[in-house]
Amino acid sequence: MTMSLKSMCRTLLAAGAMALASALPLKAQEETRYNVALLSDFSGPYADIMPILAAGREKVIDWWNATRGAQLGVTLNYKNYETRYDAAQVASLWPGIKSELEPIAVIGLGGPDVAALSERLPEDKIPMFMATAAYGYAWKPDSWIFNPRPTYSHESAGFLYWLRQKRGGDGPIKAAIMASEASPAYVDMAKGLEKYAEEHPDEIELVEVIYTEVQPTDLTAQMRRVARSGADALIIQTNTSIVVAAKRGLQANGADVPIMMSSHNGLPASGKALGGLEQLEGDYEAYGMAIAADEDTPPRQFYQTLSDSYGLKAPWNVVTAMGISQGLFAVTVIEHAIEANGPEGLTGEKVREALFAEPITTEETHGFLPTLSFTPEAPFPLKGLQVNVGSVRDGKIVVEATGAAIPNVEKW
């Protein structure tokens, strides 16, 4: 073979190799890897629901890696850190987490994470994405901690606004609140609704605001007062232990006052703690994400995909839905950042910038969340706020309201 012919063959072989490489899917090419830290509570007050919530958010990341991440040439690695839902533990762990992972994002759990890291994350330029509603004490501009839902007081005010419309009539709805001073988040849940009721006496009349222990043994006397006050609803956004004690107290008094719970202490978790969902017949859960009812909805279909194809072993309930919605919230923002900046050199700062750059559509979160538009003014969306309401009817969770309007709750 002559030299010119050899040269021609090498050229053709090189061209063929380049064509083959360009035809290969991105998954087969070298991937860029980034780390995400997951803050968890497997041994503290939320140990009973943590495995379910953790499974939801982890399997979303697995799904994203296999689908959207593969197309973009990015893999997200994640690691759980046990915080025991304790602010001191979070603060103690954080330097090691940052050093070990150098994460581009943190997926948080609740109030202690906000209390411990709200001043650190702006310095470290790492955003944290939550699953829960927000807190009034964190309602500040230029945050690095973001909630896909408004504050708990927004959600309870939205529920009471909806309940008043359902009841009809001109008088205010009567409500009682159960809270605890054990956590700043629990106190905040009460304070925001107290202020809203004070400013809107024609809509809400607060007949009782009761503070108790995180794990109360007997609330019979307190529930007697609630029943005698004529309350139309009892708001409990704290934990399952307080729901159980309040429900037992109402039953001991022969009182039928419906309880409204949030997502983390909602109908499935509190029903299980009470011995069965039928114990919560006529009670409610209300929050700014999808209700995990039996209807064939986009969220239910996506849950089924995670179960069938990605090994999700968790029941279809509000806690699982909360974990899935949190995972989708985080990976969608990261995906927006990759699309805006390319797969290389992604930083936490670029991820945060992507959050403000464009909305997170409800289609991108498979209907788990409404379309979310963030601005630097607050750690949660300020416009288009909605609450969904679920209830127990004939022993099953049903959707009572979707997209119920939340009134204008002022900062407290």
Side-chain angles (χ1 to χ4, degrees):
M1 182 180 294
T2 65
M3 291 299 294
S4 59
L5 185 56
K6 288 181 180 179
S7 178
M8 183 182 298
C9 287
R10 281 197 297 267
T11 301
L12 289 172
L13 286 170
M18 290 177 64
L20 179 61
S22 64
L24 287 173
L26 286 174
K27 183 69 176 177
Q29 300 180 32
E30 185 177 351
E31 291 181 331
T32 302
R33 295 179 176 269
Y34 297 103
N35 295 326
V36 177
L38 279 59
L39 305 184
S40 305
D41 173 24
F42 292 101
S43 61
Y46 293 107
D48 55 338
I49 67 170
M50 191 68 230
I52 298 173
L53 190 149
R57 60 192 192 181
E58 289 170 11
K59 292 306 176 183
V60 166
I61 299 176
D62 292 342
W63 161 83
W64 188 89
N65 283 337
T67 55
R68 298 296 300 143
Q71 296 171 5
L72 295 166
V74 172
T75 294
L76 297 177
N77 300 318
Y78 56 86
K79 181 176 179 179
N80 279 288
Y81 291 87
E82 171 61 37
T83 71
R84 301 195 299 271
Y85 204 72
D86 180 84
Q89 178 73 357
V90 176
S92 175
L93 287 174
W94 176 245
I97 295 172
K98 182 187 171 189
S99 175
E100 178 186 10
L101 288 191
E102 297 183 358
I104 60 168
V106 182
I107 295 182
L109 183 62
D113 308 331
V114 177
L117 299 181
S118 59
E119 301 297 326
R120 290 293 308 270
L121 295 177
E123 298 176 3
D124 298 331
K125 300 190 181 303
I126 302 171
M128 182 160 68
F129 299 99
M130 309 298 286
T132 61
Y135 309 98
Y137 59 79
W139 188 343
K140 301 174 183 178
D142 300 320
S143 176
W144 283 74
I145 301 175
F146 301 100
N147 299 76
R149 294 155 47 187
T151 71
Y152 287 96
S153 296
H154 279 89
E155 293 184 341
S156 57
F159 166 76
L160 291 172
Y161 187 80
W162 168 81
L163 190 63
R164 181 169 178 261
Q165 289 181 317
K166 180 185 177 185
R167 183 207 63 186
D170 297 328
I173 199 88
K174 292 184 177 182
I177 301 174
M178 285 292 306
S180 174
E181 294 179 334
S183 165
Y186 291 169
V187 175
D188 186 75
M189 293 166 182
K191 292 299 183 184
L193 186 58
E194 284 184 271
K195 182 178 179 182
Y196 182 82
E198 181 182 337
E199 295 175 345
H200 300 83
D202 55 330
E203 295 179 18
I204 300 174
E205 178 186 349
L206 286 183
V207 293
E208 286 279 350
V209 179
I210 302 169
Y211 285 88
T212 186
E213 297 83 9
V214 173
Q215 294 182 316
T217 55
D218 183 20
L219 294 176
T220 303
Q222 293 91 328
M223 292 304 99
R224 186 178 300 117
R225 298 204 308 268
V226 170
R228 289 176 176 174
S229 71
D232 298 301
L234 172 60
I235 307 300
I236 306 178
Q237 295 174 299
T238 50
N239 60 22
T240 55
S241 297
I242 294 178
V243 173
V244 169
K247 191 66 178 180
R248 295 301 187 211
L250 289 170
Q251 292 170 339
N253 284 285
D256 187 21
V257 180
I259 299 173
M260 188 221 89
M261 293 151 264
S262 189
S263 52
H264 57 276
N265 69 331
L267 296 169
S270 295
K272 181 179 179 181
L274 280 159
L277 196 59
E278 65 277 1
Q279 295 286 321
L280 295 175
E281 184 75 18
D283 292 315
Y284 298 97
E285 59 184 19
Y287 37 79
M289 67 176 200
I291 302 292
D294 289 335
E295 287 90 338
D296 186 26
T297 60
R300 179 63 185 267
Q301 293 166 7
F302 184 71
Y303 160 81
Q304 204 62 51
T305 296
L306 294 181
S307 297
D308 294 344
S309 303
Y310 296 92
L312 174 60
K313 299 187 185 304
W316 174 236
N317 64 30
V318 62
V319 178
T320 306
M322 187 162 62
I324 294 174
S325 69
Q326 182 181 25
L328 288 169
F329 174 37
V331 299
T332 300
V333 178
I334 291 172
E335 183 174 325
H336 288 181
I338 295 168
E339 291 172 341
N341 300 281
E344 301 291 338
L346 197 62
T347 64
E349 193 167 15
K350 291 178 180 178
V351 171
R352 180 176 180 269
E353 290 170 357
L355 181 73
F356 302 134
E358 60 180 304
I360 300 163
T361 67
T362 189
E363 291 78 17
E364 288 177 301
T365 63
H366 299 267
F368 277 89
L369 298 167
T371 295
L372 308 173
S373 296
F374 285 83
T375 69
E377 298 174 65
F380 56 88
L382 292 174
K383 296 181 179 179
L385 302 181
Q386 302 175 354
V387 67
N388 300 325
V389 181
S391 183
V392 177
R393 304 293 178 193
D394 299 322
K396 294 184 178 180
I397 297 176
V398 299
V399 178
E400 293 280 357
T402 300
I406 292 177
N408 184 32
V409 177
E410 298 291 342
K411 191 174 180 180
W412 63 93

